[in-house]
Amino acid sequence: MATIKDVAHHAQVSVTTVSHVVNGTRAVSPQARERVEQAIRTVGYVPSAIARSLKSNNTRTLGMLIPNSSNPYFAEIVHAVEDRAFGAGYNVILCNTDDAAPRQGRYLQVLAERRIDGLIVVSTGQDATLPTQLAGLAVPTVLVDREIEIAEQPCDLVETAHMQGGQLAAQHLLDLGHRRIACIHGPAGLRPSEQRIAGWRTALAAAGCDHGAHLLWDGRFTSQGGYDAMHALLRSDAAPTAVFVCNDLMAMGALCAAHERGLRVPEALSLVGFDDIELAAFTSPPLTTIAQPKQRIGALAVDMLLERIDGKRQGHRQTLLQPELRVRSSTAPLARP
């Protein structure tokens, strides 16, 4: 592997001159700069990012934790984060925790060892140790989608108004004449799921409709979970005429189960998802869903992080973005007998 001395020898300049060219620490004559840059290409020299970070006290690197890389919602958030970070001259190290608290803790150690400048976290649902771990990491941190309480070092937060999204979904179905509306939700204790359920309950209660526990089914935020929950729901004594499914992955599984039971959507059963992932427009039928502003979430998370890194802001900031209803072909007015 080529060293900085090899570059200096090839360019017939001092090691100090090569260092100034690589790190931009002092002006170098155009002729010397050209020789150094040509020598770098010729000998294949790769500057050490670690060494430069020790001198400059930054690595131009952000860390990001997500709970499930197979969920297109998180993939779309990551895409927005990477785009914004790349435009600002930062790289992103992505870690998939697979909804496992021990794995999340290990990745935080890895990111600390990599001397990241800042961290974006979509937390796992069940990790009571995360606040202590983040406080100990002592880097600017932005939480996305899921709140956690950190008393010692409050984090920035950007998320969608999940409760309002649940209300939008239920109200849309109520406006179509549906009164028996079930809900397929995510894991217990996960705040976005709990808030979406609360929105569903609020809308149904205001309309005087049943919103009891017998209408709630756990789909685990996975397509298989949505599939299983819909089959169980349709086998129940009083099947609904409409279902609010708390994310699009589960809604896709639920659609598959409805098709297998011979139910036409939306003629026999209306279905609303949540997230508006790109694939939602290509299901059969295309899925009515509650859209989260994913591009804005990702861009805001990076912008908020860079404000803290650059010292432009000290206090923590919380941003709540509003969801929107995307009406497609999976919902229709209640068919009267």
Side-chain angles (χ1 to χ4, degrees):
M1 181 179 293
T3 68
I4 193 169
K5 290 182 179 179
D6 297 327
V7 176
H9 177 74
H10 194 279
Q12 296 183 330
V13 298
S14 69
V15 170
T16 302
T17 297
V18 176
S19 177
H20 289 323
V21 171
V22 170
N23 298 307
T25 50
R26 187 178 298 174
V28 175
S29 71
Q31 296 83 1
R33 177 177 293 278
E34 184 177 350
R35 291 204 309 274
V36 169
E37 291 174 347
Q38 179 60 48
I40 287 172
R41 292 191 292 269
T42 300
V43 304
Y45 172 64
V46 179
S48 170
I50 295 175
R52 283 186 293 175
S53 73
L54 291 172
K55 292 181 180 179
S56 64
N57 204 32
N58 66 69
T59 61
R60 308 293 292 182
T61 301
L62 307 179
M64 184 171 185
L65 295 179
I66 60 170
N68 188 341
S69 60
S70 65
N71 186 331
Y73 166 72
F74 296 123
E76 292 177 31
I77 294 288
V78 169
H79 187 269
V81 165
E82 288 184 325
D83 273 357
R84 195 66 151 210
F86 184 81
Y90 280 78
N91 299 309
V92 177
I93 298 176
L94 179 64
C95 300
N96 169 37
T97 64
D98 202 26
D99 284 311
R103 188 165 175 171
Q104 179 170 257
R106 177 62 186 132
Y107 275 139
L108 284 172
Q109 290 180 334
V110 170
L111 292 173
E113 292 166 2
R114 295 296 180 92
R115 295 172 55 86
I116 58 171
D117 297 330
L119 178 65
I120 297 172
V121 177
V122 187
S123 67
T124 64
Q126 305 292 333
D127 187 0
T129 67
L130 182 58
T132 302
Q133 291 173 332
L134 290 180
L137 196 59
V139 298
T141 300
V142 177
L143 303 176
V144 171
D145 196 59
R146 302 173 181 183
E147 304 172 47
I148 60 173
E149 297 296 333
I150 305 179
E152 296 85 357
Q153 181 189 340
C155 297
D156 290 339
L157 170 69
V158 56
E159 67 174 339
T160 302
H162 299 292
M163 181 173 176
Q164 285 86 335
Q167 287 179 278
L168 277 176
Q171 190 59 54
H172 171 63
L173 295 169
L174 289 167
D175 291 344
L176 291 172
H178 297 278
R179 290 297 178 267
R180 188 166 182 81
I181 303 169
C183 176
I184 297 176
H185 59 87
L190 199 60
R191 293 191 67 168
S193 179
E194 297 293 340
Q195 290 167 347
R196 293 170 197 180
I197 293 169
W200 166 81
R201 280 190 166 129
T202 298
L204 293 188
C209 296
D210 187 3
H211 54 280
H214 59 288
L215 290 172
L216 280 168
W217 297 78
D218 184 3
R220 306 187 303 278
F221 268 172
T222 66
S223 51
Q224 182 67 52
Y227 173 87
D228 294 339
M230 180 61 87
H231 268 302
L233 177 58
L234 295 177
R235 288 194 300 267
S236 63
D237 293 337
T241 64
V243 183
F244 166 44
V245 189
C246 287
N247 80 355
D248 288 346
L249 266 188
M250 292 190 298
M252 291 177 183
L255 268 174
C256 181
H259 290 324
E260 288 184 358
R261 293 294 297 265
L263 288 177
R264 291 179 59 84
V265 176
E267 291 84 356
L269 181 71
S270 284
L271 205 64
V272 178
F274 200 110
D275 288 338
D276 193 29
I277 60 176
E278 186 177 348
L279 292 172
F282 299 97
T283 57
S284 180
L287 184 65
T288 294
T289 187
I290 302 301
Q292 297 205 62
K294 297 176 291 297
Q295 291 293 325
R296 193 172 173 210
I297 289 172
L300 263 176
V302 174
D303 290 348
M304 292 163 74
L305 202 53
L306 296 184
E307 286 176 358
R308 299 286 290 274
I309 292 171
D310 295 339
K312 296 178 180 177
R313 176 171 54 84
Q314 298 300 320
H316 67 283
R317 172 183 166 198
Q318 297 189 344
T319 301
L320 190 65
L321 302 177
Q322 293 303 311
E324 296 181 2
L325 175 67
R326 295 274 190 272
V327 179
R328 298 193 179 102
S329 303
S330 67
T331 53
L334 177 65
R336 301 296 178 184

mmCIF file of all heavy atoms in Angstrom, residues 241-261:
data_model
loop_
_atom_site.group_PDB
_atom_site.id
_atom_site.type_symbol
_atom_site.label_atom_id
_atom_site.label_comp_id
_atom_site.label_asym_id
_atom_site.label_seq_id
_atom_site.Cartn_x
_atom_site.Cartn_y
_atom_site.Cartn_z
ATOM 1 N N THR A 241 -66.497 -4.427 7.941
ATOM 2 C CA THR A 241 -66.630 -4.032 6.530
ATOM 3 C C THR A 241 -65.425 -3.214 6.076
ATOM 4 O O THR A 241 -65.263 -2.962 4.888
ATOM 5 C CB THR A 241 -67.898 -3.185 6.320
ATOM 6 O OG1 THR A 241 -67.776 -1.947 7.064
ATOM 7 C CG2 THR A 241 -69.138 -3.937 6.778
ATOM 8 N N ALA A 242 -64.589 -2.811 7.034
ATOM 9 C CA ALA A 242 -63.397 -2.029 6.706
ATOM 10 C C ALA A 242 -62.324 -2.277 7.768
ATOM 11 O O ALA A 242 -62.639 -2.612 8.913
ATOM 12 C CB ALA A 242 -63.725 -0.540 6.644
ATOM 13 N N VAL A 243 -61.061 -2.103 7.360
ATOM 14 C CA VAL A 243 -59.944 -2.319 8.269
ATOM 15 C C VAL A 243 -58.912 -1.202 8.081
ATOM 16 O O VAL A 243 -58.532 -0.889 6.950
ATOM 17 C CB VAL A 243 -59.257 -3.682 8.027
ATOM 18 C CG1 VAL A 243 -58.139 -3.905 9.049
ATOM 19 C CG2 VAL A 243 -60.257 -4.821 8.067
ATOM 20 N N PHE A 244 -58.489 -0.620 9.199
ATOM 21 C CA PHE A 244 -57.344 0.285 9.205
ATOM 22 C C PHE A 244 -56.138 -0.540 9.613
ATOM 23 O O PHE A 244 -56.100 -1.114 10.694
ATOM 24 C CB PHE A 244 -57.572 1.433 10.190
ATOM 25 C CG PHE A 244 -56.335 2.223 10.514
ATOM 26 C CD1 PHE A 244 -55.434 2.611 9.524
ATOM 27 C CD2 PHE A 244 -56.056 2.588 11.833
ATOM 28 C CE1 PHE A 244 -54.285 3.329 9.831
ATOM 29 C CE2 PHE A 244 -54.906 3.304 12.149
ATOM 30 C CZ PHE A 244 -54.014 3.678 11.147
ATOM 31 N N VAL A 245 -55.141 -0.601 8.735
ATOM 32 C CA VAL A 245 -53.928 -1.377 8.988
ATOM 33 C C VAL A 245 -52.795 -0.385 9.231
ATOM 34 O O VAL A 245 -52.533 0.478 8.400
ATOM 35 C CB VAL A 245 -53.597 -2.301 7.801
ATOM 36 C CG1 VAL A 245 -52.468 -3.255 8.177
ATOM 37 C CG2 VAL A 245 -54.833 -3.091 7.379
ATOM 38 N N CYS A 246 -52.101 -0.532 10.369
ATOM 39 C CA CYS A 246 -51.208 0.522 10.857
ATOM 40 C C CYS A 246 -49.871 0.642 10.153
ATOM 41 O O CYS A 246 -49.047 1.468 10.550
ATOM 42 C CB CYS A 246 -50.988 0.367 12.362
ATOM 43 S SG CYS A 246 -52.433 0.838 13.337
ATOM 44 N N ASN A 247 -49.583 -0.172 9.144
ATOM 45 C CA ASN A 247 -48.523 0.158 8.198
ATOM 46 C C ASN A 247 -48.780 -0.572 6.877
ATOM 47 O O ASN A 247 -49.569 -1.515 6.802
ATOM 48 C CB ASN A 247 -47.110 -0.089 8.756
ATOM 49 C CG ASN A 247 -46.644 -1.529 8.706
ATOM 50 O OD1 ASN A 247 -47.379 -2.436 8.332
ATOM 51 N ND2 ASN A 247 -45.409 -1.761 9.101
ATOM 52 N N ASP A 248 -48.118 -0.104 5.826
ATOM 53 C CA ASP A 248 -48.392 -0.625 4.487
ATOM 54 C C ASP A 248 -47.927 -2.064 4.305
ATOM 55 O O ASP A 248 -48.541 -2.824 3.546
ATOM 56 C CB ASP A 248 -47.736 0.264 3.429
ATOM 57 C CG ASP A 248 -48.417 1.607 3.264
ATOM 58 O OD1 ASP A 248 -49.549 1.761 3.777
ATOM 59 O OD2 ASP A 248 -47.829 2.504 2.634
ATOM 60 N N LEU A 249 -46.839 -2.452 4.982
ATOM 61 C CA LEU A 249 -46.386 -3.842 4.872
ATOM 62 C C LEU A 249 -47.467 -4.803 5.352
ATOM 63 O O LEU A 249 -47.772 -5.801 4.696
ATOM 64 C CB LEU A 249 -45.114 -4.050 5.693
ATOM 65 C CG LEU A 249 -43.759 -3.921 5.000
ATOM 66 C CD1 LEU A 249 -42.653 -4.356 5.947
ATOM 67 C CD2 LEU A 249 -43.702 -4.737 3.719
ATOM 68 N N MET A 250 -48.046 -4.512 6.514
ATOM 69 C CA MET A 250 -49.135 -5.353 7.013
ATOM 70 C C MET A 250 -50.331 -5.304 6.075
ATOM 71 O O MET A 250 -51.017 -6.311 5.867
ATOM 72 C CB MET A 250 -49.552 -4.909 8.414
ATOM 73 C CG MET A 250 -48.519 -5.142 9.497
ATOM 74 S SD MET A 250 -49.179 -4.868 11.168
ATOM 75 C CE MET A 250 -49.642 -3.140 11.106
ATOM 76 N N ALA A 251 -50.591 -4.119 5.506
ATOM 77 C CA ALA A 251 -51.739 -3.979 4.604
ATOM 78 C C ALA A 251 -51.582 -4.868 3.379
ATOM 79 O O ALA A 251 -52.565 -5.427 2.868
ATOM 80 C CB ALA A 251 -51.911 -2.524 4.192
ATOM 81 N N MET A 252 -50.355 -5.032 2.891
ATOM 82 C CA MET A 252 -50.125 -5.910 1.743
ATOM 83 C C MET A 252 -50.416 -7.361 2.101
ATOM 84 O O MET A 252 -51.029 -8.102 1.331
ATOM 85 C CB MET A 252 -48.693 -5.748 1.242
ATOM 86 C CG MET A 252 -48.441 -4.401 0.599
ATOM 87 S SD MET A 252 -46.725 -4.207 0.094
ATOM 88 C CE MET A 252 -46.789 -2.512 -0.523
ATOM 89 N N GLY A 253 -49.975 -7.781 3.289
ATOM 90 C CA GLY A 253 -50.320 -9.120 3.746
ATOM 91 C C GLY A 253 -51.814 -9.288 3.938
ATOM 92 O O GLY A 253 -52.385 -10.335 3.603
ATOM 93 N N ALA A 254 -52.465 -8.241 4.466
ATOM 94 C CA ALA A 254 -53.916 -8.293 4.679
ATOM 95 C C ALA A 254 -54.659 -8.380 3.350
ATOM 96 O O ALA A 254 -55.657 -9.116 3.232
ATOM 97 C CB ALA A 254 -54.362 -7.053 5.460
ATOM 98 N N LEU A 255 -54.192 -7.659 2.347
ATOM 99 C CA LEU A 255 -54.805 -7.747 1.011
ATOM 100 C C LEU A 255 -54.727 -9.166 0.463
ATOM 101 O O LEU A 255 -55.703 -9.696 -0.086
ATOM 102 C CB LEU A 255 -54.085 -6.795 0.050
ATOM 103 C CG LEU A 255 -54.622 -5.383 -0.109
ATOM 104 C CD1 LEU A 255 -53.677 -4.560 -0.983
ATOM 105 C CD2 LEU A 255 -56.016 -5.383 -0.708
ATOM 106 N N CYS A 256 -53.554 -9.779 0.635
ATOM 107 C CA CYS A 256 -53.375 -11.153 0.157
ATOM 108 C C CYS A 256 -54.350 -12.096 0.848
ATOM 109 O O CYS A 256 -54.974 -12.949 0.208
ATOM 110 C CB CYS A 256 -51.934 -11.580 0.398
ATOM 111 S SG CYS A 256 -51.542 -13.245 -0.178
ATOM 112 N N ALA A 257 -54.496 -11.943 2.164
ATOM 113 C CA ALA A 257 -55.421 -12.805 2.911
ATOM 114 C C ALA A 257 -56.859 -12.598 2.452
ATOM 115 O O ALA A 257 -57.626 -13.566 2.311
ATOM 116 C CB ALA A 257 -55.296 -12.508 4.405
ATOM 117 N N ALA A 258 -57.251 -11.356 2.212
ATOM 118 C CA ALA A 258 -58.616 -11.069 1.743
ATOM 119 C C ALA A 258 -58.864 -11.730 0.385
ATOM 120 O O ALA A 258 -59.935 -12.311 0.144
ATOM 121 C CB ALA A 258 -58.836 -9.565 1.656
ATOM 122 N N HIS A 259 -57.876 -11.652 -0.504
ATOM 123 C CA HIS A 259 -58.019 -12.294 -1.817
ATOM 124 C C HIS A 259 -58.180 -13.802 -1.663
ATOM 125 O O HIS A 259 -59.010 -14.426 -2.348
ATOM 126 C CB HIS A 259 -56.794 -11.992 -2.687
ATOM 127 C CG HIS A 259 -56.707 -10.565 -3.146
ATOM 128 N ND1 HIS A 259 -57.809 -9.806 -3.473
ATOM 129 C CD2 HIS A 259 -55.627 -9.756 -3.344
ATOM 130 C CE1 HIS A 259 -57.426 -8.595 -3.848
ATOM 131 N NE2 HIS A 259 -56.106 -8.531 -3.767
ATOM 132 N N GLU A 260 -57.403 -14.401 -0.757
ATOM 133 C CA GLU A 260 -57.492 -15.846 -0.552
ATOM 134 C C GLU A 260 -58.850 -16.257 0.002
ATOM 135 O O GLU A 260 -59.318 -17.380 -0.265
ATOM 136 C CB GLU A 260 -56.381 -16.300 0.397
ATOM 137 C CG GLU A 260 -54.995 -16.282 -0.227
ATOM 138 C CD GLU A 260 -53.920 -16.815 0.693
ATOM 139 O OE1 GLU A 260 -54.229 -17.168 1.853
ATOM 140 O OE2 GLU A 260 -52.763 -16.892 0.244
ATOM 141 N N ARG A 261 -59.470 -15.373 0.764
ATOM 142 C CA ARG A 261 -60.807 -15.669 1.304
ATOM 143 C C ARG A 261 -61.913 -15.363 0.302
ATOM 144 O O ARG A 261 -63.092 -15.518 0.599
ATOM 145 C CB ARG A 261 -61.031 -14.856 2.588
ATOM 146 C CG ARG A 261 -60.141 -15.260 3.746
ATOM 147 C CD ARG A 261 -60.453 -16.671 4.239
ATOM 148 N NE ARG A 261 -61.807 -16.761 4.767
ATOM 149 C CZ ARG A 261 -62.127 -16.640 6.054
ATOM 150 N NH1 ARG A 261 -61.162 -16.425 6.934
ATOM 151 N NH2 ARG A 261 -63.375 -16.735 6.455
#
